[in-house]
Amino acid sequence: MLILAIGILVGGVGHAVFADGGTDRSLKVFSMVYALIQKDYVDPLSPKPVLTGAIKGMVASLDPHSEYMTPQEYHELEIDTKGKFGGVGIKITTNGKNILVQSPIPGSPADRAGIKAGDEIISVDGKSTSALGLENAVHMMRGRAGTSVDLTIRRKGAFQKKDFVLVREVIRIHTVHERMLTSRIGYIHVQEFSEDTAKEMKEAIAGLLSKGMKGLVIDLRNNPGGLLNDAVDASSIFLPENKVVVSMKGRRQFHEFHSRNPRPYLHFPIVVLVNTETASAAEILSGALQDYKRATIMGTQTFGKGSVQTILPLFDGSALRLTTARYFTPSGRSIQDYGISPDVIVKQIIPRGVKSIKVPREVNLKHHFLNPDGAESKVSIPLDHIQFHLPIGRIPLKEDNQVQAALKMLDKDLRSGGQSVGFARPKSSLSAG
């Protein structure tokens, strides 16, 4: 799930008020059904899982990103946003019922043990992952540092099944990784937007500049988003102070977030790499830099998540993640369902022998809502702008055609003397009314 904001509900919740008898009637039906289940179901049931399932079903019917979280699930979310937890250091994804390793975190217990991207996790501590599901598998792999967990792995072409005993450690997720591609062009890969991402980006850029960087590639591919405030802070690194980065509009709110860095980096050209799994907060950064013409966006059409979720903690330790607003880029455009259209379309070439996985976009998700501009049925994104299959794991940068295309563009720009940066004033189509 992609989170754009964490908020706390301030003020109490009063008694329920119904606009008509329809709601009251439906609640009576719900109460009767629950009573019949408790009385006549073939086996005795604990009320908590039944009611939890009912609440989850109600919230899931709203949109793909609203969710009721149990105390355990809410705790996992808090861990993710802080970027530190006890575990074995594996990022996982699903392919149907199969749970696959997306990538091991460099230097983690899983990485040192030899677990690789594309490996299928068959079981955790002897329990089948097909029965556990993604969330329970993640919960079982996490735990107190110093304790162990048994994983059974299948790797096509190497071994049918193999057991790994991994000792958990405190895993610190550094969301930004940097390097110099050439003597003049730097590269930063931003995995997601957690509490320290913008800070890590500033430190990475300062380090690259000390090595002679004159142009920068920002890699936002496969970045699922994260915290709204961190996306604003990341955008502020590259924009003049007090520029609109993103607008948020809901039923009872309208708010503009402005760049807030008095000493931004404005003097070097930037190429931002995006793909189908560039979503949410990553689309906010891409959209802001595109609208102000601060960067060239390169790659394929992004995910298209133009909504904001607020986390509302509840009294029993659970929480409601609720879609409360839509967001708009500085020019006033909503990217809901559409995504960000790159300035330069470059599809990723998947090398022979590298596994790939089919990935959906927002428009493919159940209960997704339409773009608020009302013209969705008239907007057609060319199919050759969308990449439906992406590689599992990362391709070495020297073999990555999208990175090499960005490198060539920046190198050409620098050779022609294009080191100055200008800013466009976005044409606003969003009013506060």
Side-chain angles (χ1 to χ4, degrees), residues 75-90:
H75 178 64
E76 295 287 347
L77 174 66
E78 289 182 306
I79 290 173
D80 287 341
T81 57
K82 291 184 182 301
K84 184 174 72 173
F85 59 91
V88 297
I90 300 177

Side-chain angles (χ1 to χ4, degrees), residues 181 185 216-218 271-273 298 346 400-412:
L181 294 177
I185 298 175
L216 176 65
V217 178
I218 302 176
V271 171
V272 176
L273 293 177
M298 178 182 288
V346 178
D400 191 321
N401 68 296
Q402 289 178 317
V403 172
Q404 295 305 313
L407 182 61
K408 288 180 182 178
M409 173 174 284
L410 286 171
D411 188 58
K412 182 179 179 181

Side-chain angles (χ1 to χ4, degrees), residues 378-424:
K378 301 177 183 177
V379 176
S380 177
I381 300 170
L383 287 180
D384 61 357
H385 288 196
I386 302 173
Q387 186 153 4
F388 295 99
H389 288 81
L390 293 176
I392 296 176
R394 296 187 60 78
I395 298 171
L397 297 184
K398 289 185 178 180
E399 301 172 24
D400 191 321
N401 68 296
Q402 289 178 317
V403 172
Q404 295 305 313
L407 182 61
K408 288 180 182 178
M409 173 174 284
L410 286 171
D411 188 58
K412 182 179 179 181
D413 188 40
L414 293 175
R415 281 191 281 107
S416 65
Q419 295 188 41
S420 61
V421 177
F423 292 89

Side-chain angles (χ1 to χ4, degrees), residues 254-286:
F254 174 83
H255 186 72
E256 288 183 341
F257 294 83
H258 294 80
S259 53
R260 46 200 181 204
N261 183 5
R263 290 185 292 178
Y265 293 111
L266 307 175
H267 61 284
F268 51 78
I270 301 170
V271 171
V272 176
L273 293 177
V274 298
N275 65 6
T276 307
E277 291 196 312
T278 302
S280 196
E283 290 175 297
I284 286 178
L285 174 57
S286 304

